[in-house]
């Protein structure tokens, strides 16, 4: 009897739900939370944008943008389309801001999804609970957010692609101009002008030391008869000193004892984090945002796998969720005691124009302490996570309490004052120290006591000009003026440096000659672009589009029509600016023609005056006056790495490969003969041996 073989029907693979995010790190973290029924893929950022080769905006038809697929994204788009066709459902889980909404909208177009469908998922932190909760309540794409981002993009394109060709034609190729970067450049140049025009004024101080029983304490001249008096010159100082009886007693006429509270700072916004990381960690803005992005998207922390460690890092809010407050309070009670836990934590004041769309930047779990995570994080990630964790935890703690004492001393109508303070309760300073918590103790003084004068120290001073902007100060100035938003600060600072409009000198921005020229052209021809009030007003209108109160086409049109007239006028009136080449003082070693100093994309360099017939170029090197300690023939020269960091090498490179990050001083270590170097330390510079066997006193 023939045996019949039954063919088993092929079991159909269950369709998965597709989730699209921006980055592979974020995809990896989220896929672990969602399980096997989901597939998570990364779009690697934007997939569509305006073309680079042309304006890409139809100004005659409601500023209709012509979007194209970004070059190099073909394979990514193809793969996303393929998986979307097979998927049971597609979810778009880009970041929870305008740019993230815009990415989701562009993805819906290339994947033929209906933007009205509920396929948009947003979460403020990448934790299991937050992600799972977000997938319970998907929504449709918020077109107000998309329109706000689209209006910003189109405005920036209209400005950039109108002014930049003008700068290429009138100044030099490769220049650019933009709304926010032009304001940043103007702030830097205005500050430089202030510094150049500053006239120092002389003033004097008289610091003194008094003795009470066995204790000595410091005081300063205040005035006469308890009224404040300035000391403009040495003559005024000598009059005061002449009225003092050095051998006589000084009377304590007033002692004020108070209790002063010092409250913690609120948790970080984006700009506050950038400023603090710049001040405390010496991080550039780009470096801060890169490390923050990694901490947000997820880090593998051993048994727990990949976890998002901080909340979304682009925010202008100091708001904190009730769950996070409760968790922080529990941790503080357990670790430090009830007296350290604030019953009403500090609430930060929102800057003007702040959207308050997301929480402040905080750890996703306070129980993941920096010490616990150190082995899993890079050095930069650990430093930034520690800063975020400490700032958030301290914001939920009680104020520090100081006992203060103000003492007034008088003799012959001459008044001196002394101030002292002592920590009574450290509060949040137990966790978030900033160097201002040192005690300044005074002896136990009371009204009616007398003290004797030990010494006087009159000193001449001059008023100082305002300091140049650091990255931290510039971000603060932009934020205070309502210019830019959390996502724009880092790229703005990066652009003005890449274009060589400014350079960093000792961590401070200094404008270049090129920056001066570009700023003067924009200021003369496009005054609204560098008008802080106008640009801040435009930011508010973009916020109005996001909130559904403004029409994006009208906002763009109101800006572009008067701007176009300014562009046409500038084309006719600006004369071509010739940046003259400076003689280098030596001849070309190839053709014998004089060498000149030219301005390039990365600064100044030597080039042959016969260019393009002779293409000889040389970098401008700075000799430090030290013979190379390795070959004993070449000079040690100052050079710059690709990341603009200064290092020192031999002028005979590549014949001699001597290189060091620290500046050699031209002397050898008396202990082991190794060359000595100069290192920056707290308080100044110190000459040390790299082997650690020898160090000299700090030079202030």
């Amino acid at each position: 009897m023939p045996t019949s073989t039954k063919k088993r029907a092929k079991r159909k693979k269950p369709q998965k739900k597709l989730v699209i995010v921006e980055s592979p790190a974020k995809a990896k973290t989220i896929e672990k939370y969602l399980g096997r029924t989901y597939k998570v893929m990364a779009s690697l950022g934007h997939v569509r944008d305006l073309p680079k080769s042309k304006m890409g905006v139809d100004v005659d038809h409601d500023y209709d943008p012509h979007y194209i697929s970004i070059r190099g994204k073909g394979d990514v788009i193809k793969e996303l389309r393929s998986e979307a066709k097979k998927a049971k459902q597609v979810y778009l889980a880009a970041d929870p801001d305008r740019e993230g909404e815009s990415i989701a909208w562009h993805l819906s177009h290339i994947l033929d999804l209906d933007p009205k469908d509920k396929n948009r998922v947003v979460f403020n932190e990448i934790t299991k609970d937050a992600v799972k909760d977000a997938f319970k309540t998907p929504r449709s794409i918020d077109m107000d957010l998309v329109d706000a981002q689209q209006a910003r993009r189109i405005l920036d394109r209209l400005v950039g692609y109108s002014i930049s060709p003008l700068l290429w034609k009138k100044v030099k190729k490769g220049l650019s101009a933009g709304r926010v970067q032009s304001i940043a450049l103007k702030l830097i140049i205005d500050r430089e002008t202030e510094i150049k025009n500053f006239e120092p004024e002389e003033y004097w101080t008289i610091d003194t030391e008094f003795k009470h029983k066995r204790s000595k304490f410091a005081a300063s001249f205040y005035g006469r008869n308890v009224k404040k008096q300035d000391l403009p010159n040495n003559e005024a100082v000598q009059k005061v000193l002449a009225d003092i009886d050095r051998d006589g007693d000084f009377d304590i006429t007033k002692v004020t004892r108070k209790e002063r509270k010092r409250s913690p700072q609120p948790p970080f916004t984006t700009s506050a984090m950038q400023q603090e990381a710049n001040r405390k960690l010496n991080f550039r803005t780009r470096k801060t945002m890169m490390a923050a992005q990694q901490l947000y998207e997820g880090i593998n922390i051993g048994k727990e796998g990949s976890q998002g460690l901080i909340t979304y890092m682009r925010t202008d809010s100091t708001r904190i969720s009730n769950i996070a407050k409760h968790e922080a309070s529990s941790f503080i009670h357990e670790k430090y005691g009830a007296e350290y836990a604030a019953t009403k934590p500090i609430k930060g004041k929102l800057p003007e124009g702040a959207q308050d769309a997301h929480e402040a930047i905080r750890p996703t779990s306070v129980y993941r302490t920096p010490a616990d995570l150190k082995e899993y994080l890079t050095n930069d990630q650990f430093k930034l996570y520690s800063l975020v964790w400490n700032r958030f935890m301290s914001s939920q703690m009680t104020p520090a309490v100081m006992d203060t004492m103000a003492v007034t001393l008088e003799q012959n109508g001459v008044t001196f004052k002394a101030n002292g303070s002592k920590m009574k309760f450290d509060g949040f300073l137990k966790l978030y120290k900033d160097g201002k918590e040192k005690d300044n103790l005074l002896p136990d003084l009371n009204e009616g006591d007398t003290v004797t004068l030990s010494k006087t120290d009159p000193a001449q001073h001059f008023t100082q000009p305002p300091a140049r902007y650091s990255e931290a100060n510039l971000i603060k100035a932009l934020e205070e003026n309502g210019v830019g938003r959390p996502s724009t600060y880092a790229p703005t600072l990066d652009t003005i440096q890449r274009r060589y409009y400014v350079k960093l000198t000792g961590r401070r921005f200094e404008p270049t000659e090129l920056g001066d020229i570009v700023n003067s052209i924009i200021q003369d021809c496009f005054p609204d672009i560098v008008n802080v009030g106008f640009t801040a007003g435009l930011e508010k209108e973009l916020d109005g589009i996001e909130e559904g109160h403004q029409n994006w086409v009208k906002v763009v049109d109101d800006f572009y029509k008067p701007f176009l007239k300014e562009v046409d006028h500038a084309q006719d009136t600006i004369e071509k600016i010739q940046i003259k080449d400076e003689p280098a003082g030596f001849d070309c070693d190839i053709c014998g023609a004089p060498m000149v100093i030219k301005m390039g994309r990365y600064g100044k360099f030597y080039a042959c005056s016969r260019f393009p017939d002779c293409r000889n170029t040389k970098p401008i090197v700075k000799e430090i006056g030290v013979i190379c300690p390795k070959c004993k023939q070449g000079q040690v020269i100052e050079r710059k790495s690709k990341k603009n960091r200064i290092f020192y090498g031999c002028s005979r490179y590549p014949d001699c490969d001597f290189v060091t990050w620290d500046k050699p001083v031209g002397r050898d270590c008396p202990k082991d003969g190794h060359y000595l170097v100069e290192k920056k330390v707290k308080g100044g510079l110190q000459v040390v041996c790299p082997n650690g066997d020898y160090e000299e006193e700090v030079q202030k």
Side-chain angles (χ1 to χ4, degrees):
M1 191 174 172
T3 56
S4 62
T5 55
K6 285 185 182 179
K7 284 187 179 179
R8 287 187 182 180
K10 266 192 177 181
R11 200 171 167 188
K12 202 174 179 183
K13 272 188 177 180
Q15 284 183 300
K16 288 191 175 187
K17 295 170 185 174
L18 177 66
V19 181
I20 303 173
V21 297
E22 300 97 324
S23 77
K26 189 174 172 182
K28 187 179 175 184
T29 308
I30 290 169
E31 194 162 46
K32 189 191 74 169
Y33 300 148
L34 294 175
R36 286 182 292 178
T37 57
Y38 289 84
K39 178 165 185 172
V40 186
M41 296 180 71
S43 68
L44 305 177
H46 284 275
V47 289
R48 294 200 313 167
D49 197 5
L50 297 170
K52 285 187 175 180
S53 57
K54 57 182 180 179
M55 179 80 82
V57 178
D58 189 346
V59 295
D60 298 320
H61 296 90
D62 288 343
Y63 304 94
D64 185 37
H66 171 58
Y67 292 113
I68 61 168
S69 299
I70 293 171
R71 185 178 289 179
K73 287 289 182 79
D75 291 343
V76 174
I77 292 170
K78 189 178 176 182
E79 200 176 343
L80 289 173
R81 280 178 174 154
S82 170
E83 291 297 329
K85 281 178 185 174
K86 293 186 274 181
K88 183 179 178 181
Q89 171 77 38
V90 179
Y91 292 105
L92 307 171
D95 287 344
D97 59 7
R98 289 178 192 170
E99 196 160 359
E101 207 71 19
S102 181
I103 289 172
W105 179 68
H106 284 303
L107 283 167
S108 73
H109 273 264
I110 67 158
L111 301 178
D112 293 323
L113 305 176
D114 187 347
K116 293 176 184 175
D117 286 349
K118 291 189 175 179
N119 53 20
R120 177 79 171 111
V121 177
V122 290
F123 32 81
N124 191 51
E125 58 187 72
I126 303 177
T127 57
K128 191 172 184 177
D129 289 343
V131 171
K132 287 205 160 189
D133 286 347
F135 275 85
K136 290 175 187 173
T137 54
R139 60 167 172 80
S140 56
I141 290 171
D142 186 337
M143 286 310 297
D144 289 334
L145 277 172
V146 173
D147 287 345
Q149 179 62 23
Q150 186 163 249
R152 176 184 284 281
R153 187 76 187 94
I154 289 169
L155 282 168
D156 288 343
R157 175 55 65 101
L158 292 171
V159 170
Y161 275 51
S162 298
I163 301 180
S164 297
L166 191 65
L167 294 175
W168 301 346
K169 188 177 173 185
K170 304 292 184 180
V171 187
K172 61 173 286 192
K173 283 194 174 180
L175 303 182
S176 73
R179 290 183 313 112
V180 180
Q181 77 177 54
S182 297
I183 293 283
L185 177 60
K186 183 178 185 296
L187 287 172
I188 292 165
I189 288 174
D190 286 351
R191 176 59 57 87
E192 196 69 19
T193 305
E194 273 184 75
I195 293 167
K196 283 176 184 171
N197 295 339
F198 182 81
E199 291 184 11
E201 290 181 14
E202 181 185 6
Y203 71 98
W204 286 69
T205 56
I206 307 173
D207 291 333
T208 53
E209 185 181 80
F210 288 93
K211 191 173 181 182
H212 177 68
K213 297 176 182 176
R214 292 187 177 182
S215 301
K216 289 183 178 180
F217 64 97
S220 296
F221 172 75
Y222 179 76
R224 290 180 184 271
N225 301 314
V226 202
K227 286 185 179 178
K228 179 78 174 157
Q229 180 188 320
D230 292 330
L231 298 171
N233 49 45
N234 189 30
E235 189 181 339
V237 171
Q238 295 307 319
K239 280 182 182 177
V240 171
L241 295 177
D243 290 341
I244 293 173
D245 178 4
R246 287 181 167 275
D247 300 320
D249 290 339
F250 276 74
D251 297 319
I252 305 294
T253 57
K254 190 177 181 183
V255 177
T256 307
R257 289 180 171 86
K258 285 184 181 179
E259 192 178 84
R260 182 168 62 88
K261 287 186 177 180
R262 186 174 160 206
S263 297
Q265 292 286 318
F268 281 136
T269 60
T270 302
S271 69
M273 179 180 70
Q274 290 170 345
Q275 290 170 53
E276 196 76 343
N278 185 249
R279 274 193 293 262
K280 284 196 167 183
L281 308 178
N282 198 16
F283 277 16
R284 303 283 296 278
T285 310
R286 176 179 278 274
K287 186 178 187 176
T288 300
M289 294 311 288
M290 198 179 293
Q293 183 93 29
Q294 292 158 357
L295 293 169
Y296 165 69
E297 290 182 342
I299 306 283
N300 192 321
I301 55 171
K303 288 180 182 177
E304 288 187 78
S306 189
Q307 296 284 343
L309 299 179
I310 64 170
T311 52
Y312 191 52
M313 66 285 158
R314 291 189 186 96
T315 177
D316 52 17
S317 174
T318 55
R319 181 169 46 82
I320 292 294
S321 72
N322 289 329
I323 295 169
K325 284 179 190 172
H326 179 71
E327 189 185 57
S329 180
S330 300
F331 183 92
I332 294 164
H333 275 82
E334 292 167 22
K335 179 89 174 171
Y336 304 109
E339 67 273 22
Y340 284 93
T343 49
K344 286 187 177 178
I346 187 86
K347 282 185 180 178
K349 188 182 176 185
L350 286 175
E352 194 177 342
Q355 291 295 286
D356 197 28
H358 316 298
E359 275 190 74
I361 303 166
R362 61 168 175 82
T364 53
S365 171
V366 299
Y367 286 95
R368 293 192 192 106
T369 65
D372 294 338
L373 297 181
K374 187 169 186 180
E375 61 180 300
Y376 306 110
L377 304 178
T378 65
N379 195 29
D380 288 348
Q381 289 167 352
F382 173 72
K383 284 179 179 177
L384 190 64
Y385 183 73
S386 300
L387 198 67
V388 170
W389 191 91
N390 287 336
R391 174 74 167 236
F392 169 64
M393 289 304 295
S394 68
S395 75
Q396 305 301 299
M397 294 173 81
T398 46
V401 182
M402 319 279 286
D403 279 334
T404 64
M405 186 175 172
V407 179
T408 303
L409 309 92
E410 287 191 79
Q411 186 203 72
N412 300 334
V414 179
T415 307
F416 286 82
K417 286 200 174 187
N419 293 295
S421 63
K422 184 183 178 183
M423 184 77 73
K424 185 177 182 180
F425 174 67
D426 54 1
F428 79 95
L429 290 173
K430 193 172 190 73
L431 197 60
Y432 203 75
K433 291 181 168 59
D434 59 5
K436 297 177 185 175
E437 50 281 329
K438 199 174 179 183
D439 287 345
N440 175 27
L441 300 176
L442 291 179
D444 186 20
L445 298 167
N446 295 291
E447 288 178 19
D449 288 350
T450 58
V451 295
T452 55
L453 180 65
S454 299
K455 65 177 181 182
T456 57
D457 182 19
Q460 183 188 36
H461 309 274
F462 290 92
T463 53
Q464 296 296 308
R468 286 179 176 141
Y469 284 110
S470 65
E471 286 200 355
N473 300 142
L474 187 57
I475 290 168
K476 188 178 180 184
L478 289 169
E479 185 182 38
E480 285 174 348
N481 284 299
V483 176
R485 287 295 177 262
S487 59
T488 62
Y489 300 131
T492 298
L493 268 55
D494 187 51
T495 301
I496 57 175
Q497 289 173 83
R498 277 192 296 104
R499 300 292 182 201
Y500 199 63
Y501 296 162
V502 299
K503 59 185 178 182
L504 272 177
T505 306
R507 293 179 61 196
R508 300 272 172 175
F509 285 115
E510 183 183 349
T512 62
E513 181 191 355
L514 189 58
D516 268 323
I517 291 168
V518 170
N519 179 66
S520 63
I521 288 174
I522 294 173
Q523 203 162 346
D524 291 344
C525 302
F526 308 100
D528 283 344
I529 296 295
V530 287
N531 182 312
V532 171
F534 178 83
T535 304
L538 203 51
E539 292 289 354
K540 284 182 182 175
E541 291 194 67
L542 292 172
D543 294 342
I545 297 168
E546 180 176 330
E547 291 156 10
H549 305 319
Q550 294 261 31
N551 177 278
W552 77 267
V553 175
K554 185 178 184 305
V555 169
V556 173
D557 193 54
D558 288 348
F559 167 82
Y560 185 65
K561 281 183 176 170
F563 172 71
L564 184 61
K565 289 178 184 174
E566 290 176 346
V567 173
D568 292 339
H569 180 69
Q571 291 275 14
D572 300 332
T573 56
I574 298 177
E575 292 183 10
K576 187 168 176 63
I577 296 167
Q578 186 71 39
I579 301 177
K580 290 182 179 178
D581 295 329
E582 194 181 326
F586 61 94
D587 294 335
C588 174
D589 49 14
I590 293 176
C591 71
M595 293 288 277
V596 293
I597 298 171
K598 282 188 173 287
M599 178 85 77
R601 188 174 177 181
Y602 300 107
K604 292 182 176 181
F605 64 96
Y606 294 128
C608 181
S609 56
R610 289 184 61 244
F611 177 87
D613 297 327
C614 176
R615 293 181 174 268
N616 185 21
T617 61
K618 288 184 177 183
I620 295 178
V621 293
K622 182 180 172 185
E623 292 185 358
I624 65 167
V626 173
I627 300 294
C628 173
K630 188 170 184 180
C631 70
K632 310 293 183 188
Q633 296 176 42
Q635 285 281 336
V636 175
I637 57 172
E638 186 181 289
R639 308 187 73 173
K640 283 191 177 179
S641 68
K642 287 182 180 177
K643 292 189 176 178
N644 217 31
R645 187 178 167 190
I646 290 174
F647 68 96
Y648 301 90
C650 182
S651 59
R652 293 182 62 246
Y653 177 84
D655 297 328
C656 174
D657 61 359
F658 169 76
V659 67
T660 174
W661 289 113
D662 301 309
K663 184 179 180 180
V665 297
R667 292 184 283 121
D668 292 335
C669 176
K671 292 191 176 180
D672 64 7
H674 195 285
Y675 63 88
L676 295 173
V677 296
E678 199 174 70
K679 272 190 177 290
K680 282 183 181 176
V681 294
K682 199 171 183 179
L685 295 169
Q686 188 175 32
V687 174
V688 300
C689 176
N691 294 334
D693 298 331
Y694 174 79
E695 59 183 40
E696 296 178 2
E697 284 185 22
V698 176
Q699 301 164 12
K700 292 184 179 178

